[in-house]
Amino acid sequence: MTATETASGAAAGRTDPIPDLDLADPDPARTPGIDALLAGLRRDRAVFWHGPKSRPGFWAVLGYEATLKVYRDSATFSAAHGMTLDTLRAERDPAGGLMLEVTDPPEHRRLRRSVAGIFADGIVATLTPQIDRYARDLLVRIRDGGTEIDFAEAVAARIPTHAAGLLLGLPPEDLDWITERTALVFLSGGPADAGVDQRAAAEQANGELLGYFARLLRRVRPGSGAETFVQRLAAGTGKRDALSTGEVVLNALNVAIGGTTTTRSALTNLMEALIRYPAVFAALRAGPEAVPAAVEEAVRWGNPVRHLARVATRDVQLAGAPVRAGDPVVVWPRSANRDEAVFARPETFDPHRHPNPHLGFAAGTHGCPGTALGRAQLRAVLRHTVDLFGGAEAAGPAELIRSNFLHGYAHLPVRFTTGHLFT
């Protein structure tokens, strides 16, 4: 995918400061202390060449300003070759021009107007009370049925799938099936899955989901007045073009996969922070008005997306690194969100942090269109958790998911203490 490293290449800055570490390795057990390692690198090399290992070499972008530049300059850093290390290719992604995430301007603007416009039209405000009620009912059942659970399975997997079901108009009986498959698409699973061919499983799950949304679209009658995301994409409005069948299927699939997997990971990271910092839990119980700020801090501190990939369209200097046209450029937003040049005490979880210009939802052209829906879910879960329970502690060892794309937990055993405060 990229130029072969040669002596001249090394002289041009292509020396790998971590030759024995593979950032593309999906097993987090093989990268202990990664945050501290990246922090040390970031201070001296906000962008560095990461040589070929399990994936071809790429420029690793660690610093906040460099990450923001990559996000905002889509003319120089193209998303059309795939959005992750596992999907990155020399040629353009087959979904380019059809799916928002792998399409560059100017065609990107038409797709974003249709996809993001639906979120901007008030559908999130319509869904938020339903999501809030579902989250509370789920947590009440947990409180009344026993306070020890695997939070990843009992809460974090269910809330985003329920929200996606409401948004996309999915039959409730299909939601568990969809949850299982979206978890596979980004090669995510527990360490026990290490012997499974996760690439083959991911490809199969992606194909099954594509088929599912194609069948769902055939049941949609454009212009029927229904309010689901799929129906709105197919129908269009005076402000937005109606999308083709292929565009609807791919973008609905992208929303289902991206929205459920990232929010699920973010929820587990939020709960892990509450377990790690009991004082934060107590502070939020005493002052629940801080819940929105605490959600932003949870996204910054436990950023659910490990990396996003781009390809340079021209030669460019990026934080002093000599990036050449055709080079893969991979941002690591979890590192950017802990950049000491932007965030004071970045390793500290501060539920009152302000300002908090984190990049947890990306930025620029490819900023997440479903940000408001993700925030609604995180706020609902946090608000009702600190309302219904007195505290939380680990009930067993946590397991990070096995993924080079997502940071979150496959299993997070939690024991809640009771103590209802508010209505």
Side-chain angles (χ1 to χ4, degrees):
M1 167 86 217
T2 187
T4 302
E5 289 182 281
T6 62
S8 60
R14 293 175 186 259
T15 53
D16 189 344
I18 47 173
D20 298 324
L21 181 66
D22 183 2
L23 291 179
D25 192 327
D27 188 350
R30 288 198 283 267
T31 54
I34 187 66
D35 289 331
L37 175 66
L38 295 184
L41 287 168
R42 186 175 57 238
R43 295 183 189 104
D44 299 320
R45 305 180 69 169
V47 179
F48 69 88
W49 179 253
H50 192 55
K53 298 181 177 79
S54 63
R55 305 291 184 275
F58 56 84
W59 292 102
V61 182
L62 305 184
Y64 183 95
E65 292 301 328
T67 299
L68 196 58
K69 181 176 181 179
V70 172
Y71 279 149
R72 288 178 170 171
D73 188 357
S74 56
T76 302
F77 303 101
S78 171
H81 296 261
M83 63 179 288
T84 74
L85 284 166
D86 292 319
T87 59
L88 200 61
R89 59 185 72 208
E91 68 279 8
R92 290 185 177 270
D93 191 290
L98 299 172
M99 188 170 75
L100 187 65
E101 289 303 312
V102 290
T103 299
D104 291 328
E107 182 63 13
H108 179 275
R109 286 191 284 272
R110 178 184 69 87
L111 292 173
R112 188 169 183 93
R113 189 166 57 245
S114 293
V115 176
I118 294 174
F119 289 104
D121 280 350
I123 196 169
V124 175
T126 300
L127 297 179
T128 294
Q130 301 175 63
I131 293 168
D132 189 81
R133 185 165 53 251
Y134 180 84
R136 183 171 184 84
D137 289 347
L138 179 61
L139 289 164
V140 166
R141 289 197 300 273
I142 289 169
R143 182 198 61 186
D144 295 345
T147 57
E148 188 170 315
I149 60 167
D150 184 338
F151 184 87
E153 295 180 352
V155 178
R158 294 185 177 278
I159 302 290
T161 306
H162 178 76
L166 293 173
L167 176 70
L168 298 169
L170 307 179
E173 62 271 18
D174 293 349
L175 295 183
D176 286 343
W177 182 90
I178 290 168
T179 296
E180 294 170 359
R181 278 144 189 84
T182 57
L184 292 171
V185 170
F186 288 127
L187 307 181
S188 59
D193 300 324
V196 175
D197 185 346
Q198 288 194 309
R199 285 181 173 278
E203 291 175 4
Q204 180 177 339
N206 194 66
E208 290 173 348
L209 286 165
L210 279 171
Y212 174 87
F213 282 105
R215 292 190 297 274
L216 179 70
L217 183 60
R218 286 197 291 270
R219 300 199 296 268
V220 169
R221 292 185 297 108
S224 65
E227 296 298 318
T228 69
F229 187 87
V230 171
Q231 288 162 322
R232 290 187 182 193
L233 283 180
T237 69
K239 298 179 182 178
R240 303 186 303 272
D241 295 338
L243 298 189
S244 69
T245 297
E247 290 167 342
V248 172
V249 169
L250 285 168
N251 286 287
L253 174 64
N254 188 57
V255 167
I257 294 173
T260 55
T261 56
T262 56
T263 307
R264 182 164 63 229
S265 294
L267 283 167
T268 64
N269 297 339
L270 170 60
M271 180 51 61
E272 198 275 336
L274 294 178
I275 294 169
R276 184 181 298 196
Y277 302 111
V280 170
F281 199 120
L284 292 172
R285 276 176 62 76
E289 68 279 358
V291 161
V295 162
E296 299 306 310
E297 179 69 344
V299 175
R300 181 201 71 83
W301 184 82
N303 201 107
V305 173
R306 291 184 182 273
H307 79 268
L308 285 170
R310 300 289 189 264
V311 171
T313 61
R314 63 182 180 89
D315 293 355
V316 64
Q317 288 284 321
L318 183 62
V323 178
R324 294 196 293 247
D327 283 349
V329 176
V330 181
V331 298
W332 298 85
R334 183 176 172 88
S335 173
N337 279 341
R338 298 187 175 210
D339 191 331
E340 299 86 344
V342 178
F343 302 98
R345 298 173 293 107
E347 298 302 321
T348 300
F349 187 101
D350 180 0
H352 302 286
R353 186 181 295 276
H354 180 79
N356 192 352
H358 67 78
L359 300 176
F361 296 111
T365 301
H366 288 279
C368 176
T371 295
L373 187 62
R375 284 187 168 117
Q377 296 170 70
L378 290 162
R379 290 174 181 177
V381 171
L382 181 55
R383 182 169 56 252
H384 294 307
T385 296
V386 299
D387 176 9
L388 293 166
F389 302 103
E393 60 187 15
E399 285 185 12
L400 284 167
I401 60 175
R402 190 173 185 270
S403 173
N404 62 21
F405 178 72
L406 293 169
H407 174 84
Y409 292 86
H411 298 289
L412 186 62
V414 176
R415 184 181 300 109
F416 290 112
T417 58
T418 57
H420 180 73
L421 275 182
F422 310 107
T423 58

